[in-house]
Amino acid sequence: MKERNISKANTAGSATGWGASGRRSGWLNAGCCALTVLALCLSGCATDETSKQVTLKGAFRKDFSIGVAVNQRQFTGQDTNGVAIIMSQFNSVSPENVLKWESVHPRPGTNGYDFAAADAFVAFGEKYHMLIVGHTLAWHGQTPRWVFQDENGRPLQGTNAADRAMLLQRLHDHIMTVVGRYKGRIQIWDVVNEALNDGGNFNRTNLLRQRSPWVRILGPEFIVKAFEWAHAADPGAVLRYNDYSIENEPKRKRLIALIKMLQAQHVPVMAIGSQTHANLNWPSPGLEDAALTDIAKLGLPIHITELDVDASAAGQRNQGADVSQNALAAGGGVVDAANQRLADQYSSLFRVFLKHRKNIELVTFWGVTDQDSWRSSGNPLLFDREGKPKESFQDVIQTASKDPKKLLAD
Ligand code: XIL
């Protein structure tokens, strides 16, 4: 039963014709039996019969796929508790780290690849009939320094044509090799991650993140080429642009300007990934609703790609998911009544996601349990450190049974 084809024919509304759909037919088949078979024991947390039977993927089967980022201990089967939760609750997997450049391509040259962990991740996804996501091809983070240097360690310069050609060649080789290896097996790729500028007011001259060596050396060309090469390597894969805090207006406007520019050039960008590293106060339901409404106008499916809600006291000041900022913001213990506030924020967000269910194809959590999370001190996920479902889990499931028309009203 592998019907996870993402039909290009079924792309009404896509401005470029590259939109992706098909979730309600194929992707969710693996999840449909979840209502009857529940491998995870919810007893002790769930008192009523309904919540004992319902899983995340089952509850949202008519709305969107439900994914999770998995780590090495999970996809190698060492973390048996984690695997049980993944199998029972989710129908899509993203690799938390192992497909990033530093893991899969640590050294230069054709012998510089190391596919052992990524192969195990993909095999795990196939074993459990998951929709498999590849994360990520072109990002400034977790990319070795040599990528942006010549053989002697001299930093490549955007003003030097030979340097630019060298970096483009490396990007080309990386994408053709990695995407090509998993052709037909990884259904969705985060092709470009976090290329947008974060701060300040919107204007057309400050779209991209100047701190990224990709941007500094190549400018927007790396984005165009990355999508074109990924499409050439696997014409069947859904290609995403992925970023954080695109709910905030200046960054949302930058996203829309960038994607429109790509669409005008017929670049095969096929879905928008919104990381959604949230906290208890941000994004508000109104902001999330406005952002999804605006982004949907691009005519591309939206994927919520890295959902978590930081409940740490310090995390309430942080509205960015920049890896370094996030590490600084994570300390300080959780806020008072954290579980209740977390459950409220999660159910608010899911109400908005359900309101936009026509445009949202996939909602992925960034980690299985609070123990695994990159924002662990903020207890940001639906399963606690022992893997028990939290109040937030019950509340998220309950949003699924609400009348979609009333979702924002109560
Ligand atoms: C994080 C991982 O969860 C951590 O294990 C790692 O140390 C740093 O990266 N945006 C992204 C993800 O696109 O790849 C990041 O993942 C979180 C922010």
Side-chain angles (χ1 to χ4, degrees):
M1 182 186 61
K2 269 181 63 186
E3 287 183 58
R4 290 162 303 176
N5 62 314
I6 291 148
S7 156
K8 294 277 162 23
N10 194 0
T11 56
S14 161
T16 56
W18 296 111
S21 189
R23 69 201 184 279
R24 290 185 184 102
S25 52
W27 295 6
L28 286 169
N29 284 354
C32 287
C33 55
L35 283 168
T36 46
V37 181
L38 177 58
L40 182 78
C41 174
L42 299 179
S43 58
C45 297
T47 45
D48 81 53
E49 226 17 66
T50 326
S51 48
K52 270 189 191 166
Q53 288 167 9
V54 175
T55 62
L56 291 167
K57 67 183 178 185
F60 297 102
R61 73 194 181 284
K62 293 191 182 146
D63 306 307
F64 26 71
S65 296
I66 298 283
V68 66
V70 297
N71 64 31
Q72 191 136 3
R73 292 189 62 249
Q74 290 156 348
F75 64 71
T76 56
Q78 271 172 279
D79 175 6
T80 48
N81 196 24
V83 173
I85 299 173
I86 296 163
M87 294 167 48
S88 62
Q89 299 293 328
F90 301 96
N91 45 25
S92 172
V93 282
S94 295
E96 186 176 3
N97 287 304
V98 296
L99 270 166
K100 291 173 181 173
W101 195 311
E102 71 176 11
S103 304
V104 82
H105 190 179
R107 294 169 304 280
T110 44
N111 296 327
Y113 294 86
D114 183 353
F115 286 113
D119 285 356
F121 160 74
V122 175
F124 175 86
E126 289 179 333
K127 180 173 173 192
Y128 294 110
H129 308 290
M130 301 274 184
L131 171 67
I132 303 176
V133 175
H135 172 84
T136 177
L137 297 169
W139 184 32
H140 60 273
Q142 293 174 277
T143 300
R145 234 177 266 158
W146 64 261
V147 176
F148 308 108
Q149 296 173 346
D150 74 2
E151 299 80 356
N152 303 316
R154 178 185 59 83
L156 302 179
Q157 303 296 328
T159 46
N160 178 329
D163 282 6
R164 291 172 59 93
M166 178 182 283
L167 185 55
L168 279 172
Q169 186 67 45
R170 283 184 184 149
L171 181 65
H172 170 268
D173 295 351
H174 178 81
I175 290 177
M176 297 311 285
T177 307
V178 177
V179 177
R181 184 177 182 91
Y182 302 109
K183 183 177 176 186
R185 300 176 68 199
I186 289 187
Q187 286 85 22
I188 301 173
W189 274 101
D190 283 331
V191 177
V192 174
N193 198 34
E194 302 181 352
L196 289 169
N197 182 13
D198 257 340
N201 296 325
F202 170 80
N203 73 56
R204 288 191 172 271
T205 59
N206 72 2
L207 291 190
L208 300 183
R209 178 186 189 107
Q210 291 305 318
R211 281 176 298 144
S212 158
W214 292 113
V215 173
R216 262 201 325 268
I217 303 165
L218 295 173
E221 191 181 356
F222 90 95
I223 303 177
V224 172
K225 293 295 185 201
F227 278 98
E228 287 176 355
W229 290 328
H231 189 51
D234 186 353
V238 171
L239 305 183
R240 276 192 322 216
Y241 175 80
N242 191 47
D243 216 321
Y244 64 85
S245 298
I246 52 178
E247 295 80 358
N248 292 342
E249 238 191 308
K251 198 157 177 185
R252 194 200 312 168
K253 284 187 172 160
R254 288 184 193 115
L255 170 80
I256 291 169
L258 171 67
I259 301 300
K260 283 191 168 160
M261 186 188 91
L262 297 175
Q263 288 176 328
Q265 295 177 55
H266 306 288
V267 174
V269 53
M270 305 175 196
I272 303 298
S274 175
Q275 293 185 6
T276 322
H277 289 294
N279 66 30
L280 296 173
N281 306 307
W282 180 92
S284 67
L287 183 65
E288 184 65 20
D289 188 26
L292 292 175
T293 304
D294 230 9
I295 294 167
K297 290 182 194 145
L298 289 167
L300 298 178
I302 300 170
H303 297 183
I304 305 298
T305 53
E306 304 185 11
L307 180 62
D308 54 16
V309 178
D310 190 338
S312 71
Q316 304 318 299
R317 289 195 298 273
N318 184 32
Q319 290 190 4
D322 186 272
V323 174
S324 54
Q325 264 177 47
N326 188 72
L328 292 175
V334 293
V335 300
D336 289 346
N339 265 337
Q340 185 55 51
R341 291 184 61 191
L342 191 76
D344 290 348
Q345 174 65 323
Y346 264 118
S347 62
S348 299
L349 288 172
F350 269 82
R351 282 161 199 244
V352 182
F353 298 159
L354 283 165
K355 187 188 170 205
H356 292 272
R357 60 195 282 285
K358 284 205 179 71
N359 302 105
I360 296 181
E361 289 189 336
L362 169 66
V363 176
T364 293
F365 290 84
W366 203 245
V368 182
T369 72
D370 287 342
Q371 180 74 39
D372 312 320
S373 168
W374 74 308
R375 305 166 105 186
S376 188
S377 57
N379 294 348
L381 295 167
L382 302 188
F383 296 89
D384 71 11
R385 278 158 207 284
E386 277 81 53
K388 295 215 186 66
K390 298 168 23 180
E391 204 172 325
S392 302
F393 172 88
Q394 312 297 345
D395 281 18
V396 163
I397 296 255
Q398 271 163 28
T399 61
S401 57
K402 295 248 164 44
D403 175 352
K405 291 194 198 84
K406 294 190 190 144
L407 280 166
L408 290 177
D410 57 32

